[in-house]
């Protein structure tokens, strides 16, 4: 797979980065379609695919993409060429989780050559791990010492002729540690898109700890020695468990699986973290819990829901950032995409850092549409001094609360008088602008800095 990618720049959201070439591997699944990693085709502007043994290049497009599990499905763009590309190809079948210490074979086109490469490795670990593509989602992974290098991404990993995983990332701080997306995660993705859309992965929306391993906590909660589980520490608004589960509840069982004091359940003879039970279900599915509360056992059930946060915590992919420019000051929604442009967490203002982590847990903030941050100043005499506010979140305009870029624009345009007082989170002194001067100089500033439009809302 040859992809030309071009993401947007979050600190200059009207611009795109320079095009870059990405190479990866794919394989045919039922459809027929091509399965690969999301990171191979993210922000794609043009995709070409080459079938092994065929020197033609076929133009392809992304049919479905899920950044949370780093998977995508491609198809050939032209109908006649599609018939030629898939002619004679049989879809690969999926297998089950491989056993520890068993051998798997990775197929792909890694750097160092143009022909297909096959490497063998041993399955050394199976556990939940963060997927680096999103940077915030954790799913089951298979660890192996089979070589996984740039270009291998999206390639099938076979055992006894069936796909047991998809190569997708490596542990760069160590030698010979690569990770595979298990077949069951791939099946979840394919089942998800069977209705033509990507719904993602469902969650309950809670934090927990393994406090029952402490005898004193067990005695305080009066949990019988025959029961085990995890202690709920926080429940998040706008999620299924909100208002039903409470801090200090003990989740004893999820679905049909009793939970250990270490948070593990046994599925198909394997110990896994109990959220894996939810991983096997689609968003919207009902999840049953057995809970210990106030010295008695109760039964609860919740529909699983995708966790869509006010401030996106995932790495930005296929995102077109909105923005609003007022007097040469460019505001854009606070997101991980924007914060990455600052280089390090040490450069993120403390108030903004706290807002980033607390907005999804604060009942008053979770209903906000977005939080406008002053992303960049296009220097001009009318905005002199505004550089001290770059990277800060605007909270009010002339005393009016702002909870989206549209709110910001409306507050500016509908303000009375000529004075614009912009109050920022954690800043005691507001930024003061002249409404008439910004309106007069705004078009000139856009022209001077070659900004084609003053907003994208």
């Amino acid at each position: 797979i040859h992809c030309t990618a071009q993401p947007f720049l979050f600190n200059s959201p009207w611009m795109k980065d320079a095009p870059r070439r990405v190479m990866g591997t794919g394989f045919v699944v039922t459809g027929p379609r091509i399965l690969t990693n999301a990171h191979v085709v993210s922000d794609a502007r043009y995709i070409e695919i080459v079938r092994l043994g065929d020197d033609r290049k076929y133009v392809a497009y992304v049919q479905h993409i899920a950044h949370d599990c780093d998977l995508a499905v491609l198809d050939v763009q032209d109908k006649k060429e599609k018939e030629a590309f898939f002619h004679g190809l049989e879809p690969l079948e999926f297998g089950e989780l491989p056993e520890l210490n068993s051998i798997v074979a990775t197929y792909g086109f890694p750097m160092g050559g143009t022909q297909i490469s096959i490497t063998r490795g041993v399955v050394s670990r199976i556990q939940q791990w963060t997927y680096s593509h999103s940077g915030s989602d954790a799913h089951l992974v298979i660890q192996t010492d089979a070589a996984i290098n740039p270009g291998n991404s999206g390639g099938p990993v076979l055992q006894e002729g069936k796909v047991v995983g998809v190569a997708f990332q490596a542990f760069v701080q160590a030698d010979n540690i690569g990770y595979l997306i298990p077949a069951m995660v791939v099946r979840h993705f394919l089942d998800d898109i069977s209705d033509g859309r990507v719904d993602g992965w469902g969650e309950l929306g809670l934090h927990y700890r393994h406090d029952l391993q402490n005898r004193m906590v067990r005695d305080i909660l009066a949990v019988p020695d025959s029961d085990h589980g995890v202690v709920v520490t926080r429940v998040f608004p706008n999620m299924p468990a909100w208002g039903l589960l409470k801090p200090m509840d003990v989740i004893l069982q999820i679905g049909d699986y009793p939970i250990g004091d270490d948070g593990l359940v046994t599925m198909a003879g394997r110990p896994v973290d109990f959220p894996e039970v939810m991983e096997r279900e689609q968003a919207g599915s009902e999840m049953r819990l057995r809970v210990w509360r106030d010295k008695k056992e109760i039964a609860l059930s919740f529909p699983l829901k995708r966790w869509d946060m006010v401030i996106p915590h995932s790495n930005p992919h296929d995102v077109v950032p909105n923005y609003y420019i007022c007097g040469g000051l460019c505001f854009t929604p606070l997101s991980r995409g924007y914060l990455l442009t600052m280089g390090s967490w040490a450069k993120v203002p403390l108030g903004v850092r706290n807002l980033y982590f607390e907005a999804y847990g604060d009942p008053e903030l979770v209903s906000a549409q977005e939080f406008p941050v002053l992303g960049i100043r296009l220097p001009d005499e009318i905005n002199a001094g505004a550089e001290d506010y770059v990277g800060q979140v605007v909270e009010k305009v002339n005393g009016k609360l702002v909870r989206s870029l549209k709110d910001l624009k409306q507050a500016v345009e509908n303000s009375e008088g000529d004075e614009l007082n912009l109050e920022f989170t954690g800043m005691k002194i507001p930024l003061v602008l002249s409404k008439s001067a910004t309106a007069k100089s705004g078009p000139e500033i856009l022209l001077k800095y070659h900004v084609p439009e003053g907003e994208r809302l």
Side-chain angles (χ1 to χ4, degrees):
I1 299 171
H2 302 264
C3 175
T4 301
Q6 191 180 29
F8 277 86
L9 299 174
F10 278 76
N11 56 352
S12 300
W14 61 90
M15 296 176 59
K16 295 175 184 174
D17 202 353
R20 56 186 176 87
R21 295 277 288 171
V22 182
M23 290 185 62
T25 303
F27 61 97
V28 176
V29 296
T30 54
R33 298 167 292 177
I34 301 160
L35 186 76
T36 188
N37 284 144
H39 73 257
V40 173
V41 292
S42 295
D43 300 297
R45 301 290 170 250
Y46 187 69
I47 302 172
E48 292 177 322
I49 54 176
V50 180
R51 171 179 161 172
L52 183 65
D54 185 348
D55 58 2
R56 294 178 58 190
K57 289 185 176 181
Y58 298 81
V59 179
Y61 69 98
V62 177
Q63 192 177 66
H64 297 287
I65 191 165
H67 299 292
D68 51 4
C69 61
D70 199 1
L71 291 170
V73 164
L74 313 182
D75 202 353
V76 178
Q77 189 164 291
D78 185 90
K79 290 184 178 181
K80 291 183 179 179
E81 289 191 343
K82 177 177 178 177
E83 293 179 5
F85 179 86
F86 287 107
H87 180 72
L89 291 179
E90 293 292 333
L92 287 173
E93 296 182 7
F94 291 97
E96 302 302 322
L97 273 176
E99 296 294 330
L100 293 177
N101 204 36
S102 62
I103 304 296
V104 294
T106 301
Y107 290 73
F109 298 89
M111 58 189 299
T114 58
Q115 296 302 308
I116 193 168
S117 168
I118 305 173
T119 58
R120 298 185 183 277
V122 175
V123 175
S124 55
R125 183 181 290 158
I126 299 175
Q127 66 177 37
Q128 279 210 348
W129 198 254
T130 301
Y131 282 31
S132 61
H133 179 61
S134 77
S136 63
D137 296 278
H139 305 291
L140 205 65
V141 300
I142 300 171
Q143 181 179 308
T144 177
D145 61 358
I148 296 178
N149 295 306
N152 270 124
S153 293
V157 182
L158 304 183
Q159 188 177 78
E160 297 180 359
K162 293 187 177 181
V163 178
V164 295
V166 177
F168 81 120
Q169 65 188 43
F171 191 50
V172 296
Q173 287 85 2
D175 294 329
N176 299 326
I177 294 182
Y179 295 102
L180 320 174
I181 301 174
M184 62 180 56
V185 175
V186 181
R187 280 196 289 261
H188 185 287
F189 166 66
L190 294 176
D191 289 344
D192 180 8
I193 65 174
S194 62
D195 61 357
R197 67 181 187 185
V198 179
D199 294 314
W201 301 73
E203 301 183 50
L204 295 178
L206 56 91
H207 281 174
Y208 61 90
R209 292 200 312 229
H210 305 144
D211 286 351
L212 288 193
Q213 294 177 326
N214 185 317
R215 183 74 233 182
M216 293 182 64
V217 175
R218 177 178 283 274
D219 291 343
I220 290 171
L221 297 178
V223 179
D225 288 343
S226 58
D227 282 328
H228 305 276
V230 295
V231 179
V232 176
T233 57
R234 189 174 183 183
V235 184
F236 292 92
N238 203 30
M239 291 299 290
W242 178 254
L244 296 175
L245 276 176
K246 303 177 181 179
M248 302 308 289
D249 281 350
V250 179
I251 305 177
L252 306 172
Q253 181 172 318
I254 180 167
D256 297 326
Y257 301 94
I259 303 173
D261 291 342
D262 55 2
L264 299 180
V265 299
T266 301
M267 301 185 73
R270 301 173 185 269
V272 294
D273 294 317
F274 83 89
E276 181 62 25
V277 179
M278 294 181 280
E279 293 273 307
R280 308 288 175 96
E281 303 292 335
Q282 295 290 337
S285 299
E286 201 76 11
M287 184 56 58
R288 296 175 290 107
L289 299 182
R290 189 163 58 90
V291 176
W292 182 263
R293 176 190 295 170
D294 298 331
K295 300 181 181 180
K296 62 182 179 182
E297 189 178 302
I298 61 174
L300 298 172
S301 62
F302 311 87
L304 297 177
K305 178 185 175 183
R306 181 174 180 169
W307 204 332
D308 291 318
M309 296 185 176
V310 182
I311 302 174
H313 280 211
S314 297
N315 293 323
H317 304 289
D318 295 313
V319 175
V320 180
N322 290 335
Y323 67 92
Y324 168 63
I325 299 177
C326 172
L329 303 180
C330 179
F331 296 88
T332 190
L334 179 63
S335 66
R336 183 168 182 164
Y338 172 74
L339 294 181
L340 287 172
T341 67
M342 303 187 78
S344 70
W345 278 109
K347 297 180 181 178
V348 178
L350 181 60
V352 175
R353 199 183 313 172
N354 291 338
L355 178 64
Y356 178 79
F357 286 112
E358 291 300 323
Y360 70 107
D362 189 321
E364 294 183 4
L365 297 177
V366 76
S367 60
Q369 182 180 342
E370 57 199 7
F371 296 95
V373 61
L374 177 50
I376 188 174
R377 172 193 173 224
L378 303 175
D380 189 84
E381 61 180 351
I382 67 167
N383 58 41
E387 60 270 15
D388 293 337
Y389 296 85
V390 172
Q392 301 284 358
V393 172
V394 63
E395 198 170 85
K396 295 179 181 179
V397 176
N398 289 353
K400 184 176 181 180
L401 190 65
V402 169
R403 284 291 180 260
S404 69
L405 290 177
K406 291 182 179 179
D407 282 353
L408 175 59
K409 178 183 178 182
Q410 187 176 32
V412 169
E413 293 181 349
N414 296 343
S415 63
E416 297 180 359
D418 191 51
E419 191 174 286
L420 292 174
N421 285 277
L422 279 66
E423 299 178 42
F424 291 79
T425 301
M427 303 285 283
K428 292 183 179 180
I429 301 176
L431 172 63
V432 181
L433 300 173
S434 166
K435 181 178 178 181
S436 58
T438 58
K440 180 180 179 181
S441 301
E444 297 175 5
I445 295 173
L446 297 182
L447 185 63
K448 178 167 57 178
Y449 289 98
H450 303 285
V451 180
E453 298 289 342
E455 64 182 51
R456 184 193 296 125
L457 300 175

